[in-house]
PDB file of all heavy atoms in Angstrom:
ATOM      1  N   LEU A  40       2.087  13.975  -9.935  1.00 88.00           N
ATOM      2  CA  LEU A  40       2.860  15.225  -9.945  1.00 88.00           C
ATOM      3  C   LEU A  40       3.495  15.374 -11.343  1.00 88.00           C
ATOM      4  O   LEU A  40       3.543  16.482 -11.877  1.00 88.00           O
ATOM      5  CB  LEU A  40       3.909  15.192  -8.862  1.00 88.00           C
ATOM      6  CG  LEU A  40       3.459  15.379  -7.412  1.00 88.00           C
ATOM      7  CD1 LEU A  40       4.607  15.224  -6.444  1.00 88.00           C
ATOM      8  CD2 LEU A  40       2.766  16.768  -7.300  1.00 88.00           C
ATOM      9  N   ILE A  51       0.044  25.958 -21.025  1.00 77.00           N
ATOM     10  CA  ILE A  51       0.714  27.241 -21.328  1.00 77.00           C
ATOM     11  C   ILE A  51       1.076  27.306 -22.861  1.00 77.00           C
ATOM     12  O   ILE A  51       0.977  28.344 -23.445  1.00 77.00           O
ATOM     13  CB  ILE A  51       1.988  27.325 -20.456  1.00 77.00           C
ATOM     14  CG1 ILE A  51       1.546  27.609 -18.987  1.00 77.00           C
ATOM     15  CG2 ILE A  51       2.852  28.484 -20.930  1.00 77.00           C
ATOM     16  CD1 ILE A  51       2.699  27.647 -18.033  1.00 77.00           C
ATOM     17  N   THR A  65      -9.883  12.522 -21.210  1.00 87.00           N
ATOM     18  CA  THR A  65      -8.393  12.408 -21.088  1.00 87.00           C
ATOM     19  C   THR A  65      -7.967  12.302 -19.646  1.00 87.00           C
ATOM     20  O   THR A  65      -7.025  11.495 -19.260  1.00 87.00           O
ATOM     21  CB  THR A  65      -7.709  13.564 -21.792  1.00 87.00           C
ATOM     22  OG1 THR A  65      -8.192  13.626 -23.150  1.00 87.00           O
ATOM     23  CG2 THR A  65      -6.176  13.472 -21.745  1.00 87.00           C
ATOM     24  N   CYS A 188      10.387  15.702   1.163  1.00 91.00           N
ATOM     25  CA  CYS A 188       9.842  14.646   2.023  1.00 91.00           C
ATOM     26  C   CYS A 188      10.367  13.249   1.638  1.00 91.00           C
ATOM     27  O   CYS A 188      10.439  12.403   2.551  1.00 91.00           O
ATOM     28  CB  CYS A 188       8.310  14.655   1.927  1.00 91.00           C
ATOM     29  SG  CYS A 188       7.536  16.129   2.743  1.00 91.00           S
ATOM     30  N   ARG A 192      14.545   9.659   2.660  1.00 92.00           N
ATOM     31  CA  ARG A 192      14.251   8.207   2.731  1.00 92.00           C
ATOM     32  C   ARG A 192      14.990   7.414   1.666  1.00 92.00           C
ATOM     33  O   ARG A 192      15.570   6.355   1.968  1.00 92.00           O
ATOM     34  CB  ARG A 192      12.704   8.008   2.531  1.00 92.00           C
ATOM     35  CG  ARG A 192      12.255   6.527   2.678  1.00 92.00           C
ATOM     36  CD  ARG A 192      12.603   5.970   4.049  1.00 92.00           C
ATOM     37  NE  ARG A 192      12.080   4.604   4.187  1.00 92.00           N
ATOM     38  CZ  ARG A 192      12.367   3.838   5.212  1.00 92.00           C
ATOM     39  NH1 ARG A 192      13.104   4.246   6.207  1.00 92.00           N
ATOM     40  NH2 ARG A 192      11.882   2.597   5.240  1.00 92.00           N
ATOM     41  N   ILE A 223       4.522  12.784   6.442  1.00 88.00           N
ATOM     42  CA  ILE A 223       4.092  14.210   6.412  1.00 88.00           C
ATOM     43  C   ILE A 223       3.689  14.620   5.032  1.00 88.00           C
ATOM     44  O   ILE A 223       2.823  15.385   4.818  1.00 88.00           O
ATOM     45  CB  ILE A 223       5.321  15.083   6.919  1.00 88.00           C
ATOM     46  CG1 ILE A 223       5.492  14.865   8.465  1.00 88.00           C
ATOM     47  CG2 ILE A 223       5.042  16.556   6.612  1.00 88.00           C
ATOM     48  CD1 ILE A 223       6.722  15.601   8.974  1.00 88.00           C
ATOM     49  N   VAL A 254     -19.201  35.698  10.093  1.00 50.00           N
ATOM     50  CA  VAL A 254     -18.139  35.484   9.152  1.00 50.00           C
ATOM     51  C   VAL A 254     -18.667  35.160   7.775  1.00 50.00           C
ATOM     52  O   VAL A 254     -19.376  34.140   7.610  1.00 50.00           O
ATOM     53  CB  VAL A 254     -17.145  34.347   9.640  1.00 50.00           C
ATOM     54  CG1 VAL A 254     -16.049  34.169   8.625  1.00 50.00           C
ATOM     55  CG2 VAL A 254     -16.682  34.649  11.027  1.00 50.00           C
ATOM     56  N   SER A 277     -10.865  37.792 -33.635  1.00 41.00           N
ATOM     57  CA  SER A 277     -10.472  38.691 -34.722  1.00 41.00           C
ATOM     58  C   SER A 277     -11.550  39.733 -35.008  1.00 41.00           C
ATOM     59  O   SER A 277     -11.303  40.709 -35.699  1.00 41.00           O
ATOM     60  CB  SER A 277     -10.276  37.809 -35.999  1.00 41.00           C
ATOM     61  OG  SER A 277     -11.464  37.035 -36.253  1.00 41.00           O
ATOM     62  N   GLN A 286     -14.079  26.857 -17.292  1.00 35.00           N
ATOM     63  CA  GLN A 286     -14.778  26.638 -16.067  1.00 35.00           C
ATOM     64  C   GLN A 286     -13.833  26.191 -14.947  1.00 35.00           C
ATOM     65  O   GLN A 286     -12.904  25.505 -15.158  1.00 35.00           O
ATOM     66  CB  GLN A 286     -15.886  25.607 -16.217  1.00 35.00           C
ATOM     67  CG  GLN A 286     -16.999  26.061 -17.199  1.00 35.00           C
ATOM     68  CD  GLN A 286     -18.066  25.053 -17.352  1.00 35.00           C
ATOM     69  OE1 GLN A 286     -17.870  23.938 -16.905  1.00 35.00           O
ATOM     70  NE2 GLN A 286     -19.208  25.377 -17.937  1.00 35.00           N
TER      71      GLN A 286
END
Side-chain angles (χ1 to χ4, degrees):
L40 289 174
I51 290 175
T65 303
C188 290
R192 181 64 178 170
I223 290 174
V254 181
S277 58
Q286 293 182 350

